[in-house]
Amino acid sequence: MSFIQQLRARWQSADSLVCVGLDPEPAKFPARFADDADAVFAFCRDIADATAEYACAFKPQIAHFAALGAEDALMRLIAHLHVAHPGVPVILDSKRGDIGSTAQHYAAEAFDRYGADAVTANPYLGRDSVQPFLDRADRGVVVLCRTSNRGAGDLQDLSIDGRPLYQHVAEKVAREWNGHGNCALVVGATWPQQLREVRAIVGDVPFLVPGVGAQGGDAAAVVGNAKTADGTGLMVSSSRAILYASSGADYAEAAARAARALRDEINAHR
Amino acid sequence: MSFIQQLRARWQSADSLVCVGLDPEPAKFPARFADDADAVFAFCRDIADATAEYACAFKPQIAHFAALGAEDALMRLIAHLHVAHPGVPVILDSKRGDIGSTAQHYAAEAFDRYGADAVTANPYLGRDSVQPFLDRADRGVVVLCRTSNRGAGDLQDLSIDGRPLYQHVAEKVAREWNGHGNCALVVGATWPQQLREVRAIVGDVPFLVPGVGAQGGDAAAVVGNAKTADGTGLMVSSSRAILYASSGADYAEAAARAARALRDEINAHR
């Protein structure tokens, strides 16, 4: 089953649009991990196991592993997710982008080395830089469109023929890059009107939506502006608010409660 | 000494504008590495040692290591470069870009884990995504402006107020992001007129110029259009043409000859 098929099936079976972000920061781990040499893996595994029932996808963020030299933990984590939670797709959040020959190596990194079902990708270098990802028809390519950070508008909002750059990216992805039907878009939660505009451009291309919670985005506004006709189309990503919901011994239960609460809040508006 | 100071000193002392790219591809290694469990490190080390005298910088490309799970080889390679070739700055070519909190982790990866003197960065997410790199005033930040690949124009050439996006990026970097004077720009060799236009915008901000050789760029045109008033300002990057100049036992000598020939060709036009 392709990434997109897996995602659509999971939206139905889990009745959830929540994407659980796995961004390990050892300084925030509960005390019980203080002496655990394998803390990065063990903490992420515990969070994933506790929240899987509420997750339409998992999204490990690779910088958090790379800064720690924890590539091995990331590999074992993704392998664990596939075995323990089959049917929940794994998106490697790495926002790669390079010229074609090098992009081949990034595709090998994400899909062959780590076994991710999908990867995030940066469009600035153009289509040929994304092509090695697109060519893997069974995998997903989640292209940055309008991000949730403060400086996102520096480039993404620049106006070209009366429309911002991010809308041109949305159009290129939906009409030119999505030949295998394996594309999705990153569209941040912080500006609901932008979600609505991009949705109008791209039909039912899935959105990965960061920025709910810690970054101030509102779940109701996201769903109202960005859902597809069948009430899905979204991976609403939450990382810190789930991972670090409690620093006590109840970290896993607290993470599950946070994921369930976000699922319920989203579902109340679908 | 900061990256930019180191680079300016090296341009003078080596009398070279050649940046040696280190993109290991084991399938192209000489036969003698066939049974070497540490081939990735050993091959890159040999090439670097043979070409250092003609290099103003080294540029390991991280995807080539990551696809092989060779992070340890990359760490040891950069450590070797610092010890064996002090004064030759090392640019980690990773083209990272993410929201601010994650970008902190990418800065830790490049500068603390790997000890790189500079890093390449993607501007699509805006200034705050680059800020954690910019804040390290002693390190360099080489921002993608106009790249050398076929699809580069998909986004970079879109016209905003009558000027292509890449020129807006050049202007932002030179006027807004370069407060610490630690920025450089990636401007590809394939379109000399673009090098000239960007040079006119950014003064003496250094350029990392890929695309000479394998990608068809012409060294004379690069120098003529992009050098600064003192005949420097450029890191003309060559990877495959140096690394794989010979697949025989003379691979190191052949690499040195290729690096020297590029240096001489460039210097003939300075």
Side-chain angles (χ1 to χ4, degrees):
Chain A
M1 221 193 292
S2 74
F3 165 72
I4 297 285
Q5 289 170 326
Q6 227 186 120
L7 178 64
R8 292 192 190 287
R10 183 71 190 168
W11 278 330
Q12 301 304 331
S13 65
D15 191 29
S16 176
L17 307 184
V18 173
C19 171
V20 175
L22 298 168
D23 302 5
E25 299 188 56
K28 296 183 182 171
F29 287 176
R32 66 174 284 180
F33 291 99
D35 296 322
D36 187 341
D38 201 21
V40 170
F41 170 79
F43 174 75
C44 291
R45 177 203 57 203
D46 289 358
I47 296 289
D49 291 351
T51 59
E53 121 178 55
Y54 313 112
C56 72
F58 290 115
K59 183 177 73 65
Q61 206 298 317
I62 198 170
H64 289 79
F65 295 84
L68 301 167
E71 281 81 13
D72 180 64
L74 177 58
M75 285 187 65
R76 286 183 289 121
L77 176 63
I78 295 177
H80 170 82
L81 297 176
H82 288 320
V83 170
H85 311 293
V88 187
V90 178
I91 303 162
L92 184 64
D93 190 5
S94 55
K95 301 187 175 65
R96 302 306 197 215
D98 210 310
I99 63 169
S101 57
T102 298
Q104 294 278 5
H105 294 275
Y106 281 128
E109 179 193 32
F111 299 142
D112 303 322
R113 179 182 183 194
Y114 289 113
D117 299 299
V119 67
T120 54
N122 188 309
Y124 187 71
L125 283 93
R127 179 178 179 150
D128 60 340
S129 73
V130 185
Q131 195 64 45
F133 300 117
L134 298 174
D135 286 342
R136 299 286 287 265
D138 62 326
R139 311 296 173 109
V141 189
V142 188
V143 181
L144 298 180
C145 177
R146 181 58 167 82
T147 56
S148 57
N149 57 310
R150 196 165 33 82
D154 288 350
L155 266 69
Q156 297 164 26
D157 289 356
L158 293 176
S159 179
I160 297 150
D161 299 333
R163 287 194 309 158
L165 175 60
Y166 72 84
Q167 293 190 18
H168 291 264
V169 170
E171 196 165 80
K172 273 181 199 295
V173 171
R175 303 206 183 152
E176 300 171 23
W177 300 7
N178 199 24
H180 290 305
N182 60 340
C183 290
L185 291 168
V186 173
V187 192
T190 35
W191 301 97
Q193 180 60 28
Q194 298 174 337
L195 283 159
R196 178 174 289 271
E197 291 162 356
V198 178
R199 178 57 74 206
I201 294 169
V202 303
D204 67 353
V205 169
F207 290 179
L208 174 66
V209 184
V212 165
Q215 294 174 57
D218 171 55
V222 168
V223 176
N225 286 283
K227 70 180 177 191
T228 49
D230 67 351
T232 65
L234 303 172
M235 300 169 273
V236 180
S237 181
S238 178
S239 304
R240 282 167 282 178
I242 291 174
L243 292 170
Y244 308 110
S246 165
S247 59
D250 65 337
Y251 65 97
E253 296 79 359
R257 279 194 300 273
R260 191 179 56 211
L262 180 57
R263 180 202 64 175
D264 292 346
E265 188 187 351
I266 292 167
N267 285 354
H269 300 281
R270 279 168 70 188
Chain B
M1 217 191 301
S2 75
F3 165 72
I4 297 285
Q5 288 169 326
Q6 227 187 117
L7 178 63
R8 293 192 190 287
R10 183 71 192 170
W11 278 330
Q12 301 304 331
S13 66
D15 192 29
S16 176
L17 306 184
V18 173
C19 171
V20 174
L22 298 168
D23 301 5
E25 298 188 58
K28 296 182 183 172
F29 287 178
R32 65 172 287 180
F33 291 98
D35 296 323
D36 187 341
D38 201 20
V40 170
F41 170 79
F43 174 74
C44 291
R45 176 202 59 202
D46 288 359
I47 296 290
D49 291 351
T51 59
E53 117 178 58
Y54 313 112
C56 72
F58 290 115
K59 182 177 73 64
Q61 205 299 316
I62 197 169
H64 290 77
F65 295 84
L68 301 167
E71 281 80 15
D72 180 65
L74 177 57
M75 287 188 65
R76 287 183 288 122
L77 176 64
I78 295 178
H80 169 81
L81 298 176
H82 288 320
V83 170
H85 310 293
V88 187
V90 178
I91 304 163
L92 185 64
D93 190 5
S94 55
K95 302 189 175 64
R96 302 305 197 216
D98 211 309
I99 63 169
S101 57
T102 298
Q104 295 278 6
H105 294 276
Y106 281 128
E109 179 193 30
F111 299 143
D112 302 323
R113 179 182 183 195
Y114 289 113
D117 299 298
V119 68
T120 54
N122 188 309
Y124 187 72
L125 282 92
R127 180 179 178 149
D128 60 340
S129 73
V130 185
Q131 194 65 44
F133 300 117
L134 298 174
D135 287 343
R136 300 287 286 266
D138 61 327
R139 310 296 172 110
V141 189
V142 188
V143 181
L144 297 180
C145 176
R146 181 58 168 82
T147 55
S148 57
N149 57 311
R150 196 166 33 83
D154 287 351
L155 267 69
Q156 297 164 27
D157 289 356
L158 293 176
S159 179
I160 297 150
D161 299 333
R163 287 194 310 160
L165 176 60
Y166 72 85
Q167 293 190 18
H168 291 264
V169 171
E171 195 165 83
K172 274 181 199 295
V173 171
R175 304 206 182 151
E176 300 170 25
W177 300 6
N178 199 24
H180 290 305
N182 59 341
C183 289
L185 290 168
V186 173
V187 191
T190 34
W191 301 97
Q193 180 60 29
Q194 298 174 336
L195 283 159
R196 177 175 290 272
E197 291 162 357
V198 178
R199 177 57 74 206
I201 293 169
V202 304
D204 66 354
V205 169
F207 290 178
L208 174 66
V209 184
V212 165
Q215 293 175 56
D218 171 54
V222 168
V223 176
N225 285 283
K227 70 179 177 190
T228 48
D230 67 351
T232 66
L234 302 172
M235 299 170 273
V236 180
S237 181
S238 178
S239 303
R240 282 168 282 177
I242 291 175
L243 291 169
Y244 308 110
S246 165
S247 58
D250 65 336
Y251 66 99
E253 295 80 0
R257 279 195 300 273
R260 189 179 59 209
L262 180 57
R263 180 200 65 175
D264 292 346
E265 189 187 351
I266 291 167
N267 285 355
H269 300 281
R270 280 168 69 187

